[in-house]
Amino acid sequence: MKIELVKGDIFFISCDAIVNPTDVKLSGSGGLDRELRRRAGEEVDRQCAGLRKEMKPGGTVVTSGGFLPVRWILHTAAPDCGRETGESYELLKKCWMDLLLAAAKQKGIRHLAVPLVGTGSGGYTLHSPWYGDSLCSRTAAAVFSAIAEFPCCYPYARMPEKITLVCSSEEKYQSMERARKWIFGKGLSKRERICGSLLGGAIGDALGYPVEFQDAGHSWIHEYIPDPKTGMALISDDTQMTLFTACGVLWGYSRSCMKGIGGDIWHYIGFAYDDWLKTQNPDGRKQKMPVSWIRNIPQLNARRAPGNTCLSALEAGGGSIEKPINNSKGCGGIMRIAPVALYGGAHHHWDKKYNARACAETAALTHGHPLGWLPAAALGNILYDIMQNFSLAYAIEDTLLLLREMYGEYPETRRLTERIKLAMSLAAMDGYTSSVNLMAEFEVTERLGKGWTGEEALAVGLFSAAACLGRGFDQCVWNAVGHEGDSDSTASIAGQIWGAYMGEGSLHDKWLKNLELKEVIREIADDLTNDCRMSEYGTYYDAAWVRKYLSGEDGSHLPGPGEDAPHVFVQRPWEEKIDAKEKESSGCKVDFRLLPNPAEKTLEILSNTGPNPWMGRVRRRWDEWGNPIEMEFVTSYAARNFQERVVRQIREDPALRSILE
């Protein structure tokens, strides 16, 4: 989707539909509303009169374009700023969300022209700064964030290909242009961001791991300290657990795609953490079920200073926010959650509130204190916003808002937000010094902490990434490692943020050359990018994906290419294309009947006898315009000529045929 910002008259924009800001009664009395009714003609007035009803702010109705050179007019009830309280301007943001949803439901809108809804009689101004930032107003933040986040909230809605925001004056245009530059970041692909984040985190981890437990004043680290035996830069438990987090996410979502079994994502991650626990303590408690294909990699079966809190909590079965397993607020909860936010933000499988909760619950599996899992929610939202192409500055401000909205009842939330604000204020001072050691220059360790707890690790990592955006990746990880404290966790967090924001291309080859498991990290990044493309009733089959994320390399409990494996036929309506194996086989003497189901536009197949009681089902696929595409037959090899018999019965029964026409 392309967002265009123009100055001028909306009536001269060539598009499919325009938006008319009106009131809740469709009265046509406002400035732009009155002028649009005059130009569109009496036909639009008559249609509005027929639709006239009391709408809520954000409500939208659609009429024809009348005499205007557009196909449709979307009349939306603009919110009133005087009736809203608080700083978030959530009512305006929701209005734009509802407006885009109405445009998505109207077939054929590929180009939508929208005035700045709410800035007229609604009373919203483009001059009030958003959280003290003079470059962006709250109104502009609500508009741009609604457009950017709409695909996450409505992943199956058909967005217009182009949205033109029309500013009525030069002043409004300049305000919106400044806001756009501040809100949106670099346009990178999701693969660049995911791979950059995972590799950046691993580089920071490997750089800081050898000096993690050194006391005050360890030297400025400019290069890896290689392992004496292998010569490689070894990763620690931070990257190990991050990779197991990714496996848990992919296993959980693949399971829901292929088996129709779905649950909260952190439950699946808990299974993957059991795999990690087994690699660290083979004689520990009995494992539930192995799910991670990486569990047999030798480097991931090595103990790399695993946190005692993580080990003991997982041995005890793990906890949650509601039922904390302990009172720990260590950084072991935050350093591993990046794949949750990267994956969710890349594919819009969940919105930002669920994402924040998923990251928090993932951390709460092992760390029960609010400052053990609240920083995980904060880092998760920052990475999620970056995946939506928001700038780092916007992502941080949005995170402060989200923390207050979701977890404002916790007193620890205030402490965390103050630590984040302090980190960003220190990062804003980097232009006042030419020193490369920003940690010592601004006394970061004394002000933000050593990184042993969750909020300290987030603050130090965030400072390192934000302060060094103009200095390069080397400066970012050098500063994150060169402080007194938990060097690998803070550097890993800094690398995750930097890599997601700047992409894989910003990482120099010198860091990747001797990095341990870099190919495994890239493979998992590719899998997070590509996602599970199979479905329970689809025809696409990826054997490698099944081995990795549905069977954990052991496919004994999954249907394979044997006699009882499910087989899918896809056939265009009324075209008889029988699989060769079906033609060669003998007929199956199983009675069945087809039941029309008009509500679901499907035919349900009920079998009466036979070794496999559920013989299959017939589904009709529909495209985004509501037109039939194909019929899908799901059968088993035991049925043999089942597909041919279904087609024959549909042809012979007018009632069944009518349901698909």
Side-chain angles (χ1 to χ4, degrees):
M1 181 190 62
K2 181 180 179 182
I3 302 175
E4 181 183 42
L5 194 63
V6 300
K7 179 187 67 174
D9 193 334
I10 193 172
F11 300 113
F12 295 101
I13 303 294
S14 177
C15 57
D16 297 314
I18 64 174
V19 173
N20 173 37
T22 184
D23 53 35
V24 294
K25 296 182 179 180
L26 289 173
S27 64
S29 59
L32 180 59
D33 190 9
R34 183 172 58 251
E35 179 64 16
L36 182 141
R37 298 284 188 93
R38 185 185 69 81
R39 297 194 184 202
E42 295 180 357
E43 177 60 27
V44 173
D45 275 334
R46 284 195 293 269
Q47 293 182 42
C48 287
L51 295 169
R52 188 163 292 167
K53 58 182 180 179
E54 188 77 21
M55 294 191 299
K56 295 182 179 180
T60 302
V61 297
V62 183
T63 67
S64 65
F67 293 124
L68 294 175
V70 295
R71 298 176 65 184
W72 298 283
I73 301 173
L74 277 63
H75 305 265
T76 188
D80 186 353
C81 180
R83 298 181 181 179
E84 187 178 0
T85 59
E87 297 179 311
S88 65
Y89 274 37
E90 285 297 318
L91 189 59
L92 180 61
K93 184 176 178 179
K94 184 180 184 304
C95 171
W96 278 79
M97 283 279 195
D98 294 341
L99 170 61
L100 293 173
L101 183 60
K105 291 180 178 179
Q106 187 68 30
K107 299 176 184 177
I109 298 182
R110 290 179 168 83
H111 182 190
L112 180 67
V114 194
L116 300 182
V117 176
T119 59
S121 58
Y124 288 88
T125 175
L126 291 170
H127 302 295
S128 56
W130 194 50
Y131 287 97
D133 195 293
S134 59
L135 297 178
C136 179
S137 69
R138 302 175 197 165
T139 302
V143 172
F144 284 126
S145 61
I147 296 174
E149 293 173 17
F150 181 81
C152 309
C153 299
Y154 304 98
Y156 302 108
R158 185 181 184 277
M159 282 284 287
E161 297 172 4
K162 181 179 180 181
I163 294 178
T164 300
L165 300 178
V166 185
C167 305
S168 58
S169 67
E170 177 67 23
E171 184 181 11
K172 288 185 177 181
Y173 175 81
Q174 293 298 334
S175 296
M176 293 295 289
E177 183 63 23
R178 286 195 302 270
R180 179 169 65 169
K181 291 180 179 179
W182 185 82
I183 288 176
F184 292 110
K186 296 177 61 178
L188 299 176
S189 69
K190 58 186 179 182
R191 198 269 178 193
E192 287 180 286
R193 295 193 188 278
I194 293 175
C195 194
S197 183
L198 294 185
L199 286 174
I203 291 170
D205 178 27
L207 193 64
Y209 173 48
V211 297
E212 177 182 8
F213 297 106
Q214 289 188 12
D215 293 331
H218 60 256
S219 60
W220 187 259
I221 305 298
H222 283 87
E223 57 186 18
Y224 290 133
I225 299 176
D227 177 52
K229 295 182 180 180
T230 64
M232 301 295 290
L234 302 185
I235 60 172
S236 77
D237 63 315
D238 295 20
T239 302
Q240 286 181 340
M241 295 196 75
T242 299
L243 297 179
F244 278 95
T245 300
C247 283
V249 170
L250 291 169
W251 177 71
Y253 191 74
S254 299
R255 187 176 175 85
S256 66
C257 288
M258 292 297 292
K259 298 191 174 186
I261 303 171
D264 288 320
I265 199 67
W266 53 89
H267 296 307
Y268 300 113
I269 295 173
F271 278 87
Y273 287 166
D274 284 341
D275 289 344
W276 174 80
L277 180 64
K278 194 70 174 177
T279 66
Q280 305 298 300
N281 186 12
D283 299 325
R285 68 182 179 86
K286 186 177 180 181
Q287 199 173 4
K288 297 177 183 177
M289 178 175 64
V291 302
S292 309
W293 66 272
I294 61 175
R295 69 185 186 276
N296 295 322
I297 297 176
Q299 294 90 332
L300 294 177
N301 281 265
R303 288 177 69 95
R304 302 285 173 77
N308 292 328
T309 299
C310 291
L311 293 175
S312 60
L314 293 175
E315 284 283 0
S320 66
I321 294 176
E322 294 296 326
K323 297 180 179 180
I325 190 68
N326 51 40
N327 197 39
S328 174
K329 57 180 179 180
C331 65
I334 181 179
M335 50 75 172
R336 64 181 192 245
I337 57 86
V340 179
L342 297 173
Y343 180 72
H347 302 293
H348 305 156
H349 289 324
W350 44 75
D351 62 17
K352 64 168 53 182
K353 289 186 177 180
Y354 183 88
N355 175 74
R357 185 189 173 197
C359 293
E361 291 284 3
T362 299
L365 288 169
T366 57
H367 291 71
H369 193 280
L371 286 178
W373 50 262
L374 276 173
L379 177 61
N381 191 71
I382 291 171
L383 294 175
Y384 188 91
D385 277 353
I386 289 174
M387 291 303 299
Q388 309 309 309
N389 199 36
F390 286 128
S391 69
L392 181 58
Y394 175 88
I396 293 168
E397 298 291 357
D398 183 58
T399 298
L400 296 175
L401 173 66
L402 186 76
L403 287 174
R404 188 170 63 218
E405 182 182 353
M406 291 185 64
Y407 302 112
E409 71 275 14
Y410 291 92
E412 293 84 359
T413 300
R414 182 176 179 181
R415 178 176 175 179
L416 175 61
T417 55
E418 288 176 351
R419 192 67 62 97
I420 293 174
K421 290 179 180 179
L422 177 58
M424 293 309 297
S425 65
L426 292 175
M429 298 169 60
D430 75 292
Y432 296 98
T433 179
S434 58
S435 172
V436 295
N437 191 344
L438 301 179
M439 290 289 173
E441 184 75 15
F442 300 123
E443 300 178 343
V444 170
T445 302
E446 291 75 11
R447 297 184 180 186
L448 299 180
K450 295 186 177 182
W452 297 112
T453 61
E455 83 276 15
E456 292 178 357
L458 175 61
V460 175
L462 194 55
F463 166 82
S464 302
C468 298
L469 285 181
R471 294 171 176 254
F473 177 75
D474 293 5
Q475 293 282 340
C476 171
V477 291
W478 288 344
N479 277 281
V481 171
H483 84 298
E484 305 168 13
D486 195 349
S487 302
D488 60 340
S489 295
T490 54
S492 179
I493 293 170
Q496 289 169 1
I497 297 172
W498 174 284
Y501 192 60
M502 303 300 288
E504 182 187 6
S506 66
L507 309 179
H508 297 163
D509 291 338
K510 70 175 183 178
W511 297 116
L512 299 172
K513 183 178 179 181
N514 295 319
L515 180 64
E516 186 182 39
L517 293 182
K518 60 179 179 294
E519 296 305 326
V520 173
I521 295 172
R522 281 199 172 104
E523 183 174 353
I524 288 182
D526 288 337
D527 292 342
L528 288 170
T529 304
N530 295 328
D531 202 5
C532 180
R533 301 185 180 184
M534 298 179 290
S535 67
E536 186 178 3
Y537 306 114
T539 59
Y540 177 75
Y541 183 79
D542 187 337
W545 190 279
V546 169
R547 286 195 302 270
K548 289 163 66 175
Y549 299 116
L550 282 169
S551 64
E553 290 188 311
D554 179 11
S556 58
H557 65 281
L558 285 178
E563 284 295 312
D564 296 327
H567 188 66
V568 177
F569 299 95
V570 174
Q571 176 174 324
R572 298 289 176 182
W574 325 124
E575 294 179 7
E576 191 171 358
K577 294 181 180 178
I578 307 301
D579 188 272
K581 292 184 179 180
E582 298 296 311
K583 288 186 176 181
E584 294 174 0
S585 59
S586 59
C588 180
K589 306 300 182 181
V590 176
D591 296 329
F592 66 92
R593 55 198 175 98
L594 301 180
L595 301 179
N597 189 340
E600 298 182 1
K601 300 177 181 176
T602 64
L603 292 176
E604 298 180 359
I605 302 175
L606 301 180
S607 60
N608 297 326
T609 60
N612 186 355
W614 178 251
M615 298 306 303
R617 85 190 55 162
V618 178
R619 289 176 177 267
R620 188 68 177 275
R621 292 182 178 178
W622 307 78
D623 65 11
E624 58 189 353
W625 309 111
N627 302 317
I629 302 177
E630 60 191 19
M631 261 192 321
E632 188 176 70
F633 296 89
V634 182
T635 69
S636 69
Y637 282 118
R640 300 303 182 187
N641 67 343
F642 188 68
Q643 180 189 12
E644 185 177 11
R645 297 168 61 198
V646 170
V647 173
R648 186 184 306 116
Q649 183 167 342
I650 292 176
R651 285 178 172 175
E652 294 174 354
D653 192 331
L656 295 176
R657 178 161 182 159
S658 64
I659 190 66
L660 292 180
E661 288 182 339

